[in-house]
Amino acid sequence: GENVEQHPSTLSVQEGDSAVIKCTYSDSASNYFPWYKQELGKRPQLIIDIRSNVGEKKDQRIAVTLNKTAKHFSLHITETQPEDSAVYFCAASKDTGRRALTFGSGTRLQVQP
Amino acid sequence: EPEVTQTPSHQVTQMGQEVILRCVPISNHLYFYWYRQILGQKVEFLVSFYNNEISEKSEIFDDQFSVERPDGSNFTLKIRSTKLEDSAMYFCASRGPTGDSYNEQFFGPGTRLTVL
């Protein structure tokens, strides 16, 4: 089955700096890659996603890049703010999200004011 | 904005007891999922459900687990005889109708299950 590895496990940045979180996946059939943000005690919420026919997608301060050949994808957050502090999970699935999501182990991002 | 809801928010039970976790997916969604998250760990897939039957399940989803959509709105997860290691946050998720524009799985707030 699919295996998703995520690094780093913790990341501390100064407010205004950029943050990058990286994930690799094992199943070349995976074609949908969402990123979820989970604040303490709350539900995971989708912040951005990308499909395998696209190399990059941007939404304001958040961007995701995908390298299908290398089977890795990354989340980039620019101009970080204290409210960006949370745990971020990458995930992968097949059939453009219809199938189960396989999650990475999560990255705890701390933005220092 | 419509949301997935789950009840109860916290369930405490004795080992060996049966529990039923309840979810109300977003009303026009067709795909339903259960995931669990042991404290401090990653979110793990349990089962997916479509067209009134299980479409996919993980190795975690053994004979002690079952799912049901008893009416047009509820989606339940039953654990027949709970074990200590079943203690976790259980998330229900749902996904919209078919079509490429409806990829997102929307998660409920979770039920924290504590098995004593």
Side-chain angles (χ1 to χ4, degrees):
Chain A
E2 174 68 280
N3 183 47
V4 177
E5 300 285 340
Q6 182 172 347
H7 300 281
S9 57
T10 60
L11 180 59
S12 182
V13 299
Q14 291 293 318
E15 183 177 357
D17 286 352
S18 295
V20 180
I21 303 171
K22 299 182 179 182
C23 289
T24 60
Y25 62 99
S26 61
D27 190 342
S28 55
S30 289
N31 58 5
Y32 175 65
F33 307 93
W35 285 88
Y36 283 84
K37 177 182 180 182
Q38 186 178 31
E39 296 176 7
L40 191 63
K42 297 195 174 178
R43 73 188 79 193
Q45 292 198 295
L46 182 77
I47 55 171
I48 195 167
D49 56 10
I50 192 167
R51 291 160 53 189
S52 59
N53 59 349
V54 175
E56 184 172 357
K57 184 176 177 182
K58 191 172 181 181
D59 182 3
Q60 298 183 355
R61 297 186 296 107
I62 294 172
V64 56
T65 58
L66 171 66
N67 182 328
K68 281 193 302 182
T69 305
K71 290 193 282 210
H72 67 69
F73 56 113
S74 300
L75 177 72
H76 304 253
I77 306 174
T78 59
E79 300 170 29
T80 53
Q81 300 165 4
E83 51 265 38
D84 294 330
S85 296
V87 178
Y88 291 80
F89 290 97
C90 63
S93 80
K94 303 177 191 177
D95 299 328
T96 327
R98 281 199 289 275
R99 303 284 294 277
L101 292 171
T102 300
F103 284 85
S105 53
T107 296
R108 182 172 299 281
L109 174 64
Q110 183 71 44
V111 180
Q112 306 288 347
Chain B
E1 186 176 333
E3 288 189 331
V4 177
T5 60
Q6 289 183 245
T7 54
S9 57
H10 192 189
Q11 174 89 49
V12 181
T13 190
Q14 294 291 325
M15 190 170 55
Q17 295 296 304
E18 174 183 287
V19 294
I20 298 176
L21 310 183
R22 292 184 166 81
C23 168
V24 179
I26 294 172
S27 63
N28 68 335
H29 283 188
L30 301 177
Y31 299 86
F32 313 112
Y33 309 83
W34 283 101
Y35 294 85
R36 78 172 186 191
Q37 185 178 31
I38 295 170
L39 188 64
Q41 298 186 23
K42 70 167 76 175
V43 178
E44 299 175 289
F45 167 71
L46 294 177
V47 66
S48 61
F49 194 84
Y50 170 71
N51 200 25
N52 282 318
E53 60 183 24
I54 290 174
S55 51
E56 192 179 3
K57 60 183 181 179
S58 73
E59 59 272 13
I60 301 169
F61 193 87
D62 61 22
D63 291 345
Q64 293 300 313
F65 291 89
S66 62
V67 289
E68 194 176 38
R69 188 155 161 80
D71 53 42
S73 60
N74 289 285
F75 178 50
T76 62
L77 174 70
K78 182 194 289 186
I79 309 175
R80 288 191 184 82
S81 178
T82 50
K83 307 184 189 75
L84 294 176
E85 55 263 37
D86 293 328
S87 294
M89 180 74 91
Y90 288 80
F91 290 105
C92 171
S94 70
R95 181 180 174 275
T98 53
D100 288 344
S101 60
Y102 293 97
N103 298 322
E104 180 179 354
Q105 292 186 23
F106 291 81
F107 282 74
T111 292
R112 179 164 297 287
L113 176 65
T114 302
V115 182
L116 302 176

